[in-house]
Amino acid sequence: PVDCSFSRGVCDWKQDADDDFDWNPADRDKGDGYYMAVPAFVGHQKDVGRLTLPLTGLQPRSSYCLVFSYRLAGESVGKLRVFLANKRPAPAWEQNGGKDERWRTVKIEMFQGAETTNSVSI
């Protein structure tokens, strides 16, 4: 399994050089861990900031799970999307910003069959 708590940087996640802004490591309140964040003052409507995790060296299995926690906070937050790079242009998961700013956890199953997932982009 690939595990990243962001306590020592961005692990193997890569910033997209062709997007509009970068994600930055931040620490949670009360020293309760680390996460990646987009500062509220960065970007404009329709701007995209993309982080990609190459999935190399995974052992052959029928499926994997992507588990992560997220929080969409602020008035101008747009959408958080997850894309699995296996030739499908549609997001595997997406969430719009709303009034509920609590941390939530998501689990996405990635099936490894004829179309192998070779990266995850958020």
Side-chain angles (χ1 to χ4, degrees):
V2 177
D3 187 11
C4 184
S5 66
F6 302 116
S7 61
R8 297 182 183 206
V10 297
C11 307
D12 291 330
W13 289 89
K14 308 288 184 217
Q15 301 279 359
D16 188 331
D18 296 324
D19 60 3
D20 301 307
F21 56 83
D22 287 342
W23 292 70
N24 299 304
D27 56 343
R28 289 177 75 162
D29 296 337
K30 303 174 193 162
D32 192 21
Y34 298 86
Y35 62 100
M36 294 299 289
V38 175
F41 58 86
V42 172
H44 299 84
Q45 189 173 6
K46 307 267 186 199
D47 279 356
V48 173
R50 193 175 299 110
L51 272 178
T52 300
L53 177 66
L55 298 175
T56 57
L58 292 180
Q59 299 300 317
R61 294 171 64 176
S62 60
S63 67
Y64 286 91
C65 286
L66 171 66
V67 179
F68 64 95
S69 296
Y70 72 94
R71 180 175 161 236
L72 299 174
E75 294 179 17
S76 61
V77 70
K79 292 181 182 180
L80 182 64
R81 294 178 170 163
V82 175
F83 292 89
L84 305 178
N86 55 6
K87 300 180 183 175
R88 293 181 189 215
W93 176 90
E94 76 176 18
Q95 183 66 47
N96 291 323
K99 301 202 183 294
D100 183 1
E101 297 184 355
R102 293 181 295 158
W103 284 95
R104 300 194 177 275
T105 300
V106 171
K107 178 180 174 183
I108 301 170
E109 195 161 6
M110 301 183 299
F111 294 100
Q112 302 291 96
E115 294 182 354
T116 302
T117 301
N118 55 20
S119 69
V120 174
S121 294
I122 296 181

